[in-house]
Amino acid sequence: MVQKYQSPVRVYKHPFELVMAAYERRFPTCHLIPMFVASDIVEEEKSEDGSTHKVERRCALDVDAPRLLKRIAGVDYIYFIQKNTLNRKERTLQIESHNETFSNRIIVHETCCYSVHPENEDWTCFEQTASLDIKSFFGFESTVEKIAMKQYAGSIKKGKEIIEFYLKELENEGVTHVPRWTPSSTSLALPNSLSASPPALPKHTSAAAASDSQAADPNDDASQDAKQDSGALQADSLTEIQAGTPEDKLDADYIKRYLGDLTPLQESCLIRLRKWLQETHKGKIPKDEHILRFLRARDFNMDKAREFLCQSLTWRKQHQVDYLLETWNPPQVLQDYYTGGWHHHDRDGRPLYILRLGQMDTKGLVRALGEESLLRHVLSINEEGLRRCEENTKVFGRPISCWTCLVDLEGLNMRHLWRPGVKALLRIIEVVEANYPETLGRLLILRAPRVFPVLWTLVSPFIDENTRKKFLIYAGNDYQGPGGLVDYINKEIIPDFLGGECMCEVPEGGLVPKSMYRTPEELENEDVRLWTETIYQSASVFKGSPHELVIEIIDAASVITWDFDVCKGDIVFNIYHSKRAPQPPRKDPLGAHGITSPGVNNVQLIEKSWTLGQDYSMVESPLSCKEGESVQGSHITRWPGFYILQWRFHNMPACSATNLPRVDDVLATLQVSSHKCKVMFYTEVLGSEDFRTACCDVQSLGSMTSLESSHSGFSQLSAATTSSNHSQSSSMISR
């Protein structure tokens, strides 16, 4: 598997020419990089006016690898070729390096760029990308990869120290300014210039942990003088950075200020996943804090986090969760009897939510409201928590990405173990765990009674292991002693019902009057359900087992419309017509795919005995859809009969993978390891009269977008999303 690295933008608050003077002092060798043994200039070229300077070096590295591995490889040093192109006129330095040693077994490629800050010409930016592909190495591929990634991550951190060291050295020597290049000037005389004679390289070739050569390249982080006025100005400017613009890039200072301390590889994961979303989703992308939570929930595994995030974004779109705070108006019974509410913040600045679960009549709330309203209310609490985290981040001047929850269990008894109530609780936990990962920083459970272990046994299996580690449980009055509540919450804001002096506005609860109870029929007629009955249907698609849906058309001029999201895997969408009615739907034998979940929906309608062109015909060209994409479209029927919509597994040709762009490479690697896809779809048939009316209405607006085939990533996650509309065949609507 190819390992990739993408750095954030590192900002040096020094002019480009001065940074270049510091950079050149790293050659021909650098005592700050012990593994960087030496370097030789292989080729050097200067333009006549001195504006361009190209240097090619051969660098030797003494990689910190096990002696046995070096003996097997038969080398002591690893050699890299580094090509630098300094453009003094444009004020850029382009660096490209690749491994010479074992290049037929290991492919290492790195590119770096120094350039002038776009908003401050006296500052310098640095960006870096790298890739490592270990094809084979005597059976030690995994070991070499781990060594390479570990040392490369260390060298990235070291890069910042090196540039800062030489900048300080220049300052001590009285060099605080290097003049810019002008057409009349000669080549800049830099300290330790490139013309200096380097020592000879050791006479050895090859080595395996190739990626470590990056240490010889500029991997420099930003100089951080946050206490200086200029640093304060930079921090202010960073507050204006908004996620969602394809052209924007993450600044290292912005990451530290708003997202926290991340390792270089964690920064890389965030940047690459963010870039993947920018290329896949054409509208406003999720905020960086939101993306980072999903990465943390999957231990920064790019593939798992991407799949996890895509499923959540689809869920948010389908249920309009982004607008929940604006549209949700909690019923009066919730305002009176739901014993939870926000209350200041903890010692770490995290928003504090208090839930008096022991005083809550869970049975009464479920009977009066139903599971749907309870879920919506809990989701609104989570959405409010996200908003408060952003607000506290600005107030306290440090990243705050989660909140603290204090649960008071005084009054908890067997009535709280009412089975439908526990069932509702488990379903709420399931939805929250799937869509709000890494939002709970700490859970303080106070005054746990004897019945609590029973409830905990029922609930804990549904809670993520990382989340369970954040639970602190106090029995009786233990929370009042050392290591108790005051360690996490300032004494001044401890609620009065816990012995503090602060008035808490959380409702006291009590029993919900039975006059407010509603019948199951009344609850069933409520709004669209978040976890069961929605206008969308879910279907699984397996290799060799497509999912098919039949639509009977009586009026030949009808219009079939569809809207579906590809939640997992790549699929191909087809539309067929048949005069014959398919046999009753037959479900795929799930055992053939090792699927045991009873919720899997997979139906085939086209019989194996049918012949394409005789028993049924294709009425639209196949449409390939990639994971994470949303597709909308329509088809004008020409004949009455039975139209079959088919979603089938996309078999990607082996040879095509090499031509895919980076984002598709990620998707392609997932397809290799899984033969299951998932789609969520909605279809509707418009009569001819309705269709003509819709056409007139849309044409009066000068657009046919709503009736054309739209094919775009996450096209409905935001109102700002733009769709790429195109007709699939002559039968598609076109202007």
Side-chain angles (χ1 to χ4, degrees), residues 450-662:
R450 293 182 178 180
V451 73
F452 173 72
V454 180
L455 181 61
W456 177 249
T457 301
L458 296 173
V459 172
S460 59
F462 294 86
I463 302 175
D464 179 74
E465 182 180 356
N466 291 331
T467 303
R468 291 201 301 268
K469 294 178 181 178
K470 302 172 184 177
F471 285 34
L472 295 173
I473 303 173
Y474 298 89
N477 294 324
D478 292 348
Y479 70 93
Q480 296 177 343
L485 203 55
V486 291
D487 284 9
Y488 306 102
I489 300 175
N490 289 327
K491 184 177 180 181
E492 295 77 17
I493 65 169
I494 293 180
D496 51 353
F497 62 84
L498 291 176
E501 299 178 356
C502 185
M503 294 298 295
C504 184
E505 297 181 359
V506 175
E508 294 184 1
L511 295 177
V512 178
K514 291 188 177 181
S515 60
M516 293 185 173
Y517 286 11
R518 305 170 72 183
T519 65
E521 291 74 18
E522 290 175 323
L523 295 174
E524 196 68 28
N525 294 328
E526 286 291 310
D527 296 337
V528 176
R529 299 179 68 87
L530 278 177
W531 50 46
T532 53
E533 301 167 7
T534 74
I535 60 174
Y536 285 79
Q537 298 182 58
S538 174
S540 296
V541 179
F542 304 94
K543 190 172 184 180
S545 298
H547 178 74
E548 294 164 346
L549 174 72
V550 63
I551 298 176
E552 184 177 5
I553 296 296
I554 299 176
D555 184 353
S558 299
V559 179
I560 301 174
T561 65
W562 58 83
D563 181 351
F564 64 88
D565 294 275
V566 185
C567 304
K568 180 179 181 181
D570 294 353
I571 59 101
V572 176
F573 178 66
N574 289 304
I575 306 178
Y576 300 100
H577 172 264
S578 175
K579 296 179 181 179
R580 297 169 52 186
Q583 293 296 318
R586 70 181 192 281
K587 292 194 174 183
D588 176 69
L590 301 180
H593 302 282
I595 306 298
T596 58
S597 172
V600 173
N601 181 24
N602 179 266
V603 176
Q604 290 105 58
L605 298 167
I606 300 177
E607 300 178 26
K608 293 183 179 180
S609 60
W610 284 14
T611 302
L612 183 63
Q614 296 181 9
D615 302 288
Y616 68 110
S617 59
M618 183 181 293
V619 296
E620 293 288 356
S621 300
L623 178 64
S624 296
C625 310
K626 298 188 178 299
E627 181 173 324
E629 291 183 340
S630 296
V631 182
Q632 303 85 39
S634 58
H635 171 77
I636 303 178
T637 61
R638 298 176 58 185
W639 315 281
F642 299 90
Y643 286 79
I644 300 174
L645 278 58
Q646 180 193 76
W647 293 267
R648 64 176 174 82
F649 186 92
H650 179 43
N651 291 302
M652 187 174 297
C655 61
S656 66
T658 57
N659 298 323
L660 291 175
R662 183 179 304 167

Side-chain angles (χ1 to χ4, degrees), residues 665-684:
D665 283 338
V666 178
L667 295 173
T669 56
L670 281 183
Q671 283 294 358
V672 172
S673 61
S674 174
H675 297 310
K676 177 183 176 181
C677 303
K678 183 179 180 181
V679 296
M680 299 194 73
F681 62 92
Y682 167 74
T683 61
E684 185 178 9

Side-chain angles (χ1 to χ4, degrees), residues 87 235 252 352 407 498 521 599:
N87 189 322
L352 175 63
V407 180
L498 291 176
E521 291 74 18

Side-chain angles (χ1 to χ4, degrees), residues 254-296:
Y254 162 81
I255 291 177
K256 185 172 184 179
R257 167 64 178 81
Y258 292 96
L259 304 179
D261 291 321
L262 303 178
T263 68
L265 296 183
Q266 289 173 346
E267 289 177 339
S268 175
C269 288
L270 172 62
I271 293 169
R272 288 191 290 134
L273 182 54
R274 186 175 184 268
K275 184 178 180 181
W276 182 87
L277 286 169
Q278 288 173 336
E279 295 176 353
T280 307
H281 165 47
K282 306 303 180 184
K284 183 180 180 181
I285 68 171
K287 294 181 179 179
D288 299 322
E289 304 95 306
H290 194 63
I291 300 174
L292 187 57
R293 289 186 181 101
F294 283 83
L295 282 166
R296 283 176 170 150

Side-chain angles (χ1 to χ4, degrees), residues 314-500:
T314 301
W315 173 82
R316 294 182 70 89
K317 165 195 166 182
Q318 292 167 354
H319 304 296
Q320 299 293 297
V321 179
D322 290 333
Y323 308 103
L324 190 59
L325 288 179
E326 304 169 11
T327 59
W328 171 245
N329 185 22
Q332 190 62 43
V333 66
L334 270 177
Q335 299 179 37
D336 294 338
Y337 295 98
Y338 189 87
T339 56
W342 294 100
H343 181 75
H344 300 283
H345 56 79
D346 68 4
R347 289 185 178 273
D348 296 322
R350 296 167 175 165
L352 175 63
Y353 189 83
I354 294 180
L355 179 64
R356 303 185 67 179
L357 184 60
Q359 304 300 315
M360 185 184 296
D361 181 9
T362 54
K363 179 178 180 178
L365 288 174
V366 172
R367 292 291 300 272
L369 296 169
E371 297 174 353
E372 169 67 12
S373 292
L374 277 177
L375 175 61
R376 286 185 182 275
H377 189 61
V378 172
L379 295 182
S380 71
I381 293 171
N382 281 270
E383 291 295 308
E384 174 65 16
L386 297 177
R387 188 194 67 79
R388 287 175 178 259
C389 285
E390 292 182 30
E391 188 177 273
N392 286 15
T393 295
K394 297 176 182 178
V395 171
F396 293 99
R398 61 178 182 272
I400 295 174
S401 61
C402 53
W403 53 82
T404 293
C405 184
L406 187 156
V407 180
D408 180 20
L409 296 183
E410 185 182 50
L412 189 76
N413 54 43
M414 292 303 294
R415 66 184 171 87
H416 289 90
L417 300 181
W418 180 58
R419 186 172 179 180
V422 174
K423 180 182 177 183
L425 175 62
L426 296 180
R427 299 176 87 173
I428 289 173
I429 290 174
E430 184 179 4
V431 173
V432 171
E433 284 281 306
N435 297 284
Y436 298 92
E438 298 297 316
T439 53
L440 181 64
R442 183 181 294 116
L443 180 65
L444 302 170
I445 300 177
L446 309 184
R447 302 197 279 196
R450 293 182 178 180
V451 73
F452 173 72
V454 180
L455 181 61
W456 177 249
T457 301
L458 296 173
V459 172
S460 59
F462 294 86
I463 302 175
D464 179 74
E465 182 180 356
N466 291 331
T467 303
R468 291 201 301 268
K469 294 178 181 178
K470 302 172 184 177
F471 285 34
L472 295 173
I473 303 173
Y474 298 89
N477 294 324
D478 292 348
Y479 70 93
Q480 296 177 343
L485 203 55
V486 291
D487 284 9
Y488 306 102
I489 300 175
N490 289 327
K491 184 177 180 181
E492 295 77 17
I493 65 169
I494 293 180
D496 51 353
F497 62 84
L498 291 176

